[in-house]
Amino acid sequence: MEIEGALEGAPSIVDFKPSTAAIDVQKRLTTSMREMDRVLGGGLTPGSVVLVAGGPGMGKSTLLLEYASALATQGDVYYVSGEESVPQVLSRVKRLGIERDKLFLSSTVSVDDVLTSIKREPTALVFDSIQTVHTSGMNALTGSVTQMRECTVKLVEYAKSSSASVFMIGHITKGGNIAGPMVLEHMVDTVLYLEGESRSGRRILRAIKNRFGPTDEIAVYEMRENGMIEISDPSRIFADTESEEAGNAISIVVEGSRSLMINVQALTTPNHKSSPIRIARGFENARLLMLTALVSNYLGVSLENRDVYLNVLGGLKISDPGMDLAVIAALYSATKNICFPSKTAFVGEVGLDGRVRAVQQTRMRVAEAKRMGMKRVIASYQSKEDGVMGVRTVREAIAKALSGDG
Ligand SMILES: Nc1ncnc2c1ncn2[C@@H]1O[C@H](COP(=O)(O)OP(=O)(O)O)[C@@H](O)[C@H]1O
Ligand SMILES: [Mg+2]
């Protein structure tokens, strides 16, 4: 007996391409916003989908409106604002001084309407925000995970079948509700996170996922009335090399493709009444506990009855283990009330055995230290770079730093 239609379910031939096939490699789009280009991995990859997440008032709308305008020199860009009315967006456009012929605004909330209304293939679409748009044929509330996912599916399909890039803004509540737009993380190519202290104008844009570039790449901005100003040389604002106070230490960390000079500060105060406090800002608390124990154990400085506060200047959050040695130096300096000679930088990961380990990209870090006028870099003896004072242990590191030669 023949089964009709059996052939329909039969496997079809897949058109595998030889890896030598000639293709037109799509060029990355670069703009006048060079820091944004860098965080995206060296320009925008056409057809990519980017989620930009951040808390309220961080400047997501401002940044993306400016970027949309920068992209609109190369093709049509549609900015869809479900959050604000067109007059509101227009007043921001005027304030930022970014009027462009090819930048189009709408406050529609339907993804389907947007996709059917577009005639020429655009360079980019921006949805501000993914929580305020919906797609038809679903019985789910706007802003729900189901709606956000379904909208994202449609937008990803659109981006992959065209060469238009799609940007989606995602709100994160003040409490850091990562469950919100972050559920979309695996569906998109790139996730950028905009953070900062709302009181200060300083903002940090960080790539936390990027299929087209390194993660942990950061861009630094100053938020002003006329927009987000790029800080192209952040070492100059994060490190206070003039401070002569105890409790300061300088380190060179690596963020993405770039090294950055930073300042870590410690304060330790007696506490004989309750169990001592350990608070870190911009640094992992568990790691501070470990380094505090190391200071007590290997440097003969008891922190048992002292509260310990640690702060990375400028609102940066550092996870680079190369900062360990600087944290230890700051704790030592604060507790003993001793200053290190100026122009000293500390680079190294510290193990539980008190040994200083070499970290990645020492060459780049030392180069940055020199560029910033540092005279000596205390680092592992395994680093053979010129300008490094090599040490084996934290005890040796402190002794050599205090001696100040080299
Ligand atoms: N007229 C204005 N002049 C100067 N700054 C403004 C003005 N309006 C808003 N801002 C600043 O812009 C910030 C909001 O930026 P916005 O891009 O809307 O943030 P988000 O979209 O992340 O919520 C506010 O924190 C405020 O400081
Ligand atoms: Mg906004």
Side-chain angles (χ1 to χ4, degrees), residues 170-235:
H171 285 292
I172 287 172
T173 51
K174 269 226 162 76
N177 181 12
I178 297 289
M182 287 313 186
V183 298
L184 309 172
E185 194 173 331
H186 66 283
M187 303 168 72
V188 302
D189 299 310
T190 303
V191 180
L192 307 182
Y193 193 82
L194 186 62
E195 61 193 355
E197 292 145 53
S198 44
R199 278 170 293 124
S200 86
R202 179 101 26 92
R203 297 289 185 269
I204 293 152
L205 182 70
R206 186 184 293 274
I208 56 175
K209 164 182 174 173
N210 196 354
R211 285 186 183 142
F212 306 116
T215 49
D216 280 329
E217 193 79 77
I218 64 167
V220 182
Y221 296 91
E222 198 75 44
M223 190 148 175
R224 306 232 185 102
E225 180 170 349
N226 57 345
M228 302 278 260
I229 311 298
E230 296 185 335
I231 310 284
S232 52
D233 191 1
S235 285

Side-chain angles (χ1 to χ4, degrees), residues 55-63 92 95 171 203 223-225:
M58 279 301 128
K60 301 179 295 300
S61 303
T62 307
L63 185 68
R92 185 178 286 128
R95 172 159 60 88
H171 285 292
R203 297 289 185 269
M223 190 148 175
R224 306 232 185 102
E225 180 170 349

